[in-house]
């Protein structure tokens, strides 16, 4: 990373170890995973990522866990998304921090137990650079701005496109303050969406998720849905928002 020359980066072996810790497997076959990312990006600070796993979303034919790894980032794991039968489509979108030319690997565990992966090469001119000296991003009384985009009404049984963003700096833990001390990691480390009190979709975030984390996903609306969203900070603080969708 520019401005952070002493930072070590992960390698293929670190990715393999992270995948083994998450899935208990070393040899994972390639499978049908559709990964949308730009072939080339001038900056790795906020690179769009969309993942789709073609399946029926019925019975056990849905992606229970979808994990994202990067072979040249300081930490190999980027995020783990968790789907449930309340999800209408096997896809989600976010924005990630990527450092240099590398492979981005997506590992999927289906609810049936099948595990497979997809790989996408990404080229970044400048990595996820940050100022080496951190400014104060969490002044006293700080609270994030949250925005939710959800349809007010959908046909019963149809898919609802949900988009969320939270104004959180996602301090990575790789920078120093003016006194030369490491600024501790402070990120929104969990995102969860509940529908009528039941967990529908969640993501375990790592520091490689871009500042101001963005997620897009799809919910199945069989009946009127009270939606509750929460982001859990590393401090233990929980930020909340709500929405309502009427099944027309």
């Amino acid at each position: 990373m520019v401005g952070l020359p002493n930072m070590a980066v992960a390698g293929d072996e670190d990715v393999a170890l992270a995948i083994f810790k998450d899935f208990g497997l070393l040899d994972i076959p390639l499978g049908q995973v559709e990964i949308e990312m730009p072939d080339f990006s001038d900056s790795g600070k906020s690179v769009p990522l969309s993942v789709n796993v073609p399946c029926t979303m019925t019975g056990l034919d849905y992606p229970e866990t979808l994990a994202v790894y990067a072979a040249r980032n300081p930490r190999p794991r980027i995020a783990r998304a968790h789907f449930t039968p309340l999800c209408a489509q096997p896809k989600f979108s976010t924005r990630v921090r990527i450092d240099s030319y590398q492979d981005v690997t997506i590992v999927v565990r289906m609810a049936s137990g099948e595990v497979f992966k997809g790989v996408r090469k990404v080229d970044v001119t400048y990595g996820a650079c940050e100022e080496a000296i951190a400014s104060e991003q969490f002044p006293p009384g700080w609270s994030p701005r949250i925005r939710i985009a959800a349809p007010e009404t959908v046909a019963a049984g149809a898919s609802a496109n949900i988009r969320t963003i939270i104004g959180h700096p996602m301090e990575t833990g790789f920078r120093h303050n003016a006194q030369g001390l490491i600024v501790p990691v402070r990120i929104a480390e969990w995102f969860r969406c509940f529908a009528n009190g039941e967990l529908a979709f969640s993501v375990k975030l790592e520091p490689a998720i871009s500042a101001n984390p963005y997620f897009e996903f799809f919910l199945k609306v069989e009946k009127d849905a009270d939606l509750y969203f929460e982001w859990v900070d590393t401090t233990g603080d929980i930020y909340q928002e709500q929405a309502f969708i009427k099944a027309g």
Side-chain angles (χ1 to χ4, degrees):
M1 283 186 182
V2 176
L4 303 173
N6 298 320
M7 184 186 302
V9 297
D12 293 338
E13 66 281 0
D14 298 300
V15 170
L17 179 59
I19 292 173
F20 181 75
K21 288 180 177 178
D22 291 342
F23 294 91
L25 297 170
L26 290 174
D27 187 16
I28 297 178
L30 289 171
Q32 197 171 8
V33 184
E34 298 173 356
I35 306 169
E36 291 185 21
M37 299 184 77
D39 293 324
F40 173 82
S41 180
D42 286 335
S43 171
K45 283 186 177 181
S46 184
V47 181
L49 166 68
S50 293
V51 184
N52 181 54
V53 182
C55 62
T56 65
M57 293 300 289
T58 60
L60 298 178
D61 190 29
Y62 70 91
E64 195 172 63
T65 300
L66 188 157
V68 186
Y69 307 88
R72 296 287 297 165
N73 274 15
R75 295 188 181 97
R77 188 183 296 105
I78 292 179
R80 293 196 310 271
H82 302 277
F83 295 78
T84 74
L86 296 180
C87 294
Q89 298 183 36
K91 62 191 297 186
F92 89 109
S93 300
T94 188
R95 299 178 186 131
V96 300
R97 290 164 165 156
I98 294 291
D99 193 49
S100 76
Y101 178 76
Q102 61 173 296
D103 287 341
V104 172
T105 300
I106 311 291
V107 179
V108 177
R109 175 185 284 132
M110 301 295 287
S112 63
E114 181 185 9
V115 179
F116 51 89
K117 68 181 180 182
V119 180
R120 178 76 157 81
K121 290 189 179 297
V122 181
D123 192 2
V124 174
T125 301
Y126 298 102
C129 307
E130 298 180 272
E131 295 295 329
I133 304 301
S135 58
E136 176 55 65
Q137 300 197 86
F138 301 98
W142 177 88
S143 63
R145 181 181 178 186
I146 295 172
R147 294 173 60 189
I148 305 292
E152 294 182 359
T153 305
V154 299
S159 172
N161 180 201
I162 311 295
R163 290 173 292 162
T164 72
I165 189 167
I166 181 172
H168 195 297
M170 298 290 281
E171 183 62 62
T172 62
F174 297 129
R175 302 194 297 162
H176 297 79
N177 62 20
Q179 290 72 45
L181 301 175
I182 288 288
V183 177
V185 172
R186 182 174 176 183
I187 64 172
E189 59 182 358
W190 272 104
F191 166 74
R192 300 184 180 97
C193 172
F194 297 83
N196 295 328
E198 186 175 352
L199 181 63
F201 176 76
S202 61
V203 184
K204 174 65 170 70
L205 290 70
E206 302 287 346
I209 291 292
S210 295
N212 308 318
Y214 165 83
F215 294 111
E216 179 180 18
F217 55 99
F218 299 84
L219 296 181
K220 190 183 303 179
V221 180
E222 301 285 0
K223 58 184 179 180
D224 291 357
D226 283 307
L227 302 183
Y228 166 78
F229 305 87
E230 71 173 21
W231 292 258
V232 182
D233 196 294
T234 46
T235 62
D237 292 341
I238 298 176
Y239 316 116
Q240 306 170 357
E241 190 55 83
Q242 296 180 341
F244 177 77
I245 300 176
K246 183 171 182 59

